[in-house]
Amino acid sequence: MVKVRFAPSPTGYLHIGGLRTYLYNWLFAKKYKGKVVLRIEDTDRDRYIHGAAENIMSALKRIDLPWDEGPYFQSQRIGNYQNFAHKLIDNGNAYYCFCTSQRLETIRQEQRKNKLPPMYDGLCKVLPDKVVDKKLKSGSSYVIRLKVPAEETVSFDDEIHGTITVDLKTVDDQVLLKSDGWPTYHLANVVDDHLMGITHVIRGEEWLPSVPKHILIYRAFSWHIPTLVHLPLLLNRNKSKLSKRQGDIALEDFLGKGYLPHALINFLALLGWNPDTDKEVFTVTELVEKFSLSQVQKTSAIFNREKLDWLNGYYIRQMNLQRLTRLCIPYLIEGGRIRYIQNRKYKSKIKKFKIQKTGEIVNFRWLKKIVALEQERMKRLDQIGELTDFFFTDTLEYDPHILIWKKTTVDQVKNNLIQIHKILKRISRWRFHAKKIISALHQLANRQGTGEIFWPLRVALSGRKASPPPEEIAEILGKKKVLQRIDKAIEMLENKRITNNHDTSLK
Ligand code: GLU
């Protein structure tokens, strides 16, 4: 049975590249009805960050691709690694090293000076048994190092990179067990992959240089070597490594900005894997069906943010409006636009919200209308506040010049707005719907021109050059506010400083 593992080190957040690794493991396992193991590799106590493992797990839960086994914590399995490290000494594949850190530093400095790669010089590899025994008896501090046969080469197969041969001269006698009894990544990783029955090791390409060391450990125990799969790196558009400096890299950052888990999954699946079709939108089931390691590319994958935005926008458009509104509300609250109010008085189940700036009370249905207006345009959930800001205030700040449509004069715009005001005033409050507004303004628009009427109306209601259709905004705002905003626009145009400056108007 296929068994894969995801083995993050709890050194911070879940990197988006780490999520891609998890996803590929997950898709592969599900395709072959196998299992995904979650193993927290927390043996590097210097880099350990408290709470990071929990963060990683909760981030994984949020994207809803559950693992099947674990989490295992390597820190709870230390005895295992110590046993195996000593077995490696017994079977002649590792040795005790008593070198002090000062000595190691001196070697390193020398190598740096001579532009040589930092490597242990092998002093303790050749210590006579008697000396070793004596040192152990006297309680000298030691580490256990892998005995790398420098005169040999090692070859291994990688599903993506093919056969790779490495000259062991270039491989250091890796420390496997540190002086405090904790294992290093290499030992713990190989021991656990073996003990957990991992059939496929699927991980990032940055681990490729570690493989020769791992192969030597597998060989020393005559263990079966799992199938190795090293995934291409994720790069920024400028080919630099995806790093915190260039913006978001933690899954939480992406979720926080309102990228939908499914959009992220879809996007990451295509980052390095070629489904061999032009299709870009996949359900998780489709991904499981189609996924294959042989279609994973060798070359690095470029993290194309526009594509992610496009996919996210697509999934937002597909979403049920009720659900989308529910997802948008926290962003409106966080942005200080609304506040949830407990409706104890009426013991009603209907949720109510207070608009922070105006003090008005609105309900879920009203918010749903607003979200509906932007569903087509939104690329991320966190844009909702900015896009709909004009619904949450009574004072719009805008440059009155933008009220002017193309070559119309200030007086014409003002007159048009006066006409619009007159017509809309005649519609009753309860019939103040988009359709009704359009038909009421129809004749005027025919006479004056559509742009001449709907442009200034849009600006008067939203304060913006780009917005959803003005009649839709009008319906949500309601008659009273619409008339007030038109009045305000007229008043602004009456200000003597407004000129026919067509450069500022939009085509
Ligand atoms: N603990 C390693 C990491 O942080 C795991 C590498 C591997 O999958 O072997 O990525």
Side-chain angles (χ1 to χ4, degrees):
M1 186 188 59
V2 164
K3 200 170 181 191
V4 299
R5 86 303 193 262
F6 180 55
S9 299
T11 53
Y13 41 82
L14 179 60
H15 190 287
I16 197 80
L19 176 59
R20 201 245 342 222
T21 302
Y22 181 73
L23 175 64
Y24 282 22
N25 272 286
W26 195 91
L27 293 174
F28 180 72
K30 297 299 141 182
K31 176 161 184 142
Y32 294 102
K33 314 253 175 296
K35 284 207 162 130
V36 181
V37 173
L38 177 64
R39 184 172 77 218
I40 306 293
E41 300 205 326
D42 54 352
T43 59
D44 187 345
R45 303 316 274 179
D46 295 337
R47 293 177 63 222
Y48 179 81
I49 292 185
H50 195 73
E54 290 69 24
N55 265 352
I56 292 174
M57 289 191 282
S58 73
L60 284 177
K61 281 184 189 146
R62 285 178 71 186
I63 54 148
D64 203 22
L65 301 174
W67 61 88
D68 305 292
E69 212 182 289
Y72 296 109
F73 290 84
Q74 287 189 325
S75 56
Q76 294 167 7
R77 303 161 57 82
I78 297 297
N80 270 332
Y81 316 122
Q82 292 172 343
N83 285 341
F84 282 107
H86 285 97
K87 276 189 193 157
L88 284 174
I89 295 219
D90 295 344
N91 66 24
N93 288 290
Y95 61 92
Y96 293 107
C97 172
F98 302 95
C99 290
T100 59
S101 42
Q102 290 95 303
R103 176 165 192 276
L104 296 176
E105 186 48 39
T106 317
I107 306 175
R108 232 172 275 140
Q109 277 177 8
E110 192 66 19
Q111 286 164 336
R112 225 175 285 142
K113 217 167 69 197
N114 298 325
K115 303 224 159 29
L116 293 168
M119 276 172 88
Y120 179 59
D121 65 353
L123 179 72
C124 292
K125 189 158 30 180
V126 291
L127 283 185
D129 289 353
K130 260 204 232 144
V131 179
V132 173
D133 283 347
K134 222 169 119 197
K135 281 189 181 280
L136 289 176
K137 278 208 188 95
S138 70
S140 299
S141 163
Y142 65 80
V143 300
I144 292 180
R145 284 186 186 272
L146 180 65
K147 205 183 267 180
V148 178
E151 60 295 342
E152 293 180 21
T153 57
V154 78
S155 286
F156 58 92
D157 292 322
D158 181 274
E159 284 293 285
I160 295 169
H161 300 266
T163 304
I164 295 177
T165 303
V166 177
D167 194 339
L168 291 179
K169 263 203 282 306
T170 61
V171 178
D172 196 13
D173 280 359
Q174 176 68 48
V175 173
L176 300 178
L177 199 73
K178 293 186 277 184
S179 56
D180 57 6
W182 284 75
T184 57
Y185 153 75
H186 306 277
L187 178 67
N189 188 272
V190 170
V191 166
D192 276 347
D193 281 348
H194 172 71
L195 294 180
M196 293 173 185
I198 301 303
T199 58
H200 294 72
V201 167
I202 305 173
R203 64 184 161 203
E205 204 178 89
E206 65 273 27
W207 299 101
L208 208 46
S210 301
V211 177
K213 294 170 188 172
H214 298 182
I215 302 278
L216 291 177
I217 303 175
Y218 280 112
R219 270 205 213 146
F221 289 120
S222 307
W223 286 343
H224 173 74
I225 301 172
T227 303
L228 300 171
V229 187
H230 287 87
L231 305 173
L233 292 177
L234 298 188
L235 300 180
N236 286 307
R237 209 183 268 289
N238 64 3
K239 301 271 163 80
S240 61
K241 233 178 119 188
L242 270 195
S243 78
K244 191 92 194 146
R245 255 172 295 129
Q246 276 118 341
D248 310 314
I249 42 163
L251 170 61
E252 288 154 72
D253 296 338
F254 286 93
L255 293 174
K257 292 222 159 116
Y259 286 104
L260 304 170
H262 193 86
L264 283 166
I265 290 172
N266 192 155
F267 172 71
L268 290 174
L270 300 176
L271 256 173
W273 167 67
N274 174 5
D276 234 359
T277 148
D278 288 342
K279 189 170 139 98
E280 305 222 63
V281 176
F282 293 89
T283 63
V284 173
T285 318
E286 284 170 337
L287 288 174
V288 170
E289 258 165 37
K290 289 211 112 241
F291 188 75
S292 108
L293 290 175
S294 60
Q295 296 288 105
V296 173
Q297 73 198 36
K298 242 193 212 163
T299 49
S300 318
I302 304 288
F303 196 92
N304 178 344
R305 195 71 177 239
E306 286 87 64
K307 182 157 174 191
L308 173 59
D309 283 353
W310 176 81
L311 268 170
N312 206 50
Y314 173 84
Y315 284 108
I316 288 177
R317 291 195 295 282
Q318 302 302 308
M319 203 182 265
N320 159 296
L321 183 58
Q322 186 90 359
R323 174 139 186 266
L324 180 60
T325 309
R326 241 183 272 128
L327 293 179
C328 284
I329 287 174
Y331 291 93
L332 292 170
I333 294 177
E334 205 180 299
R337 290 181 174 84
I338 54 170
R339 185 160 64 81
Y340 175 58
I341 49 170
Q342 221 77 36
N343 212 2
R344 254 181 262 123
K345 207 160 127 204
Y346 307 104
K347 289 211 168 61
S348 145
K349 284 212 180 89
I350 299 168
K351 282 204 171 129
K352 300 251 178 189
F353 303 86
K354 185 174 188 171
I355 298 183
Q356 296 285 62
K357 278 193 183 159
T358 65
E360 286 159 294
I361 307 295
V362 294
N363 60 17
F364 185 84
R365 267 182 53 211
W366 188 81
L367 292 174
K368 208 162 109 180
K369 282 189 186 175
I370 288 181
V371 173
L373 276 192
E374 292 298 345
Q375 186 166 14
E376 287 294 312
R377 289 207 299 163
M378 264 163 79
K379 299 264 188 294
R380 298 191 316 261
L381 302 179
D382 71 344
Q383 293 171 328
I384 188 68
E386 222 289 298
L387 286 170
T388 61
D389 209 24
F390 47 88
F391 286 111
F392 300 98
T393 176
D394 278 340
T395 44
L396 296 184
E397 307 274 346
Y398 61 93
D399 174 358
H401 283 103
I402 65 171
L403 286 162
I404 300 166
W405 169 252
K406 290 191 179 170
K407 295 246 183 299
T408 31
T409 64
V410 175
D411 280 343
Q412 281 166 336
V413 177
K414 209 171 67 190
N415 280 334
N416 287 339
L417 281 169
I418 292 170
Q419 293 302 316
I420 296 171
H421 190 283
K422 232 189 234 163
I423 294 172
L424 296 186
K425 201 174 168 185
R426 272 189 242 128
I427 307 177
S428 64
R429 222 159 29 101
W430 53 93
R431 297 186 66 202
F432 207 76
H433 301 311
K435 268 197 192 140
K436 179 78 196 158
I437 294 168
I438 291 262
S439 68
L441 293 174
H442 184 70
Q443 265 194 3
L444 181 66
N446 266 355
R447 246 191 350 260
Q448 307 289 352
T450 312
E452 278 73 359
I453 297 308
F454 287 96
W455 179 264
L457 180 59
R458 166 198 302 279
V459 177
L461 300 185
S462 69
R464 299 180 179 192
K465 296 193 265 190
S467 75
E471 66 280 7
E472 310 259 0
I473 302 178
E475 174 177 327
I476 298 176
L477 285 175
K479 183 174 172 181
K480 191 167 146 218
K481 287 197 180 197
V482 167
L483 297 182
Q484 276 169 358
R485 288 185 188 197
I486 297 173
D487 274 339
K488 176 81 198 299
I490 296 169
E491 197 186 302
M492 284 165 96
L493 288 173
E494 274 163 0
N495 182 324
K496 296 222 166 41
R497 277 175 303 164
I498 314 286
T499 57
N500 284 318
N501 181 356
H502 289 115
D503 295 341
T504 55
S505 71
L506 239 212
K507 293 273 135 71

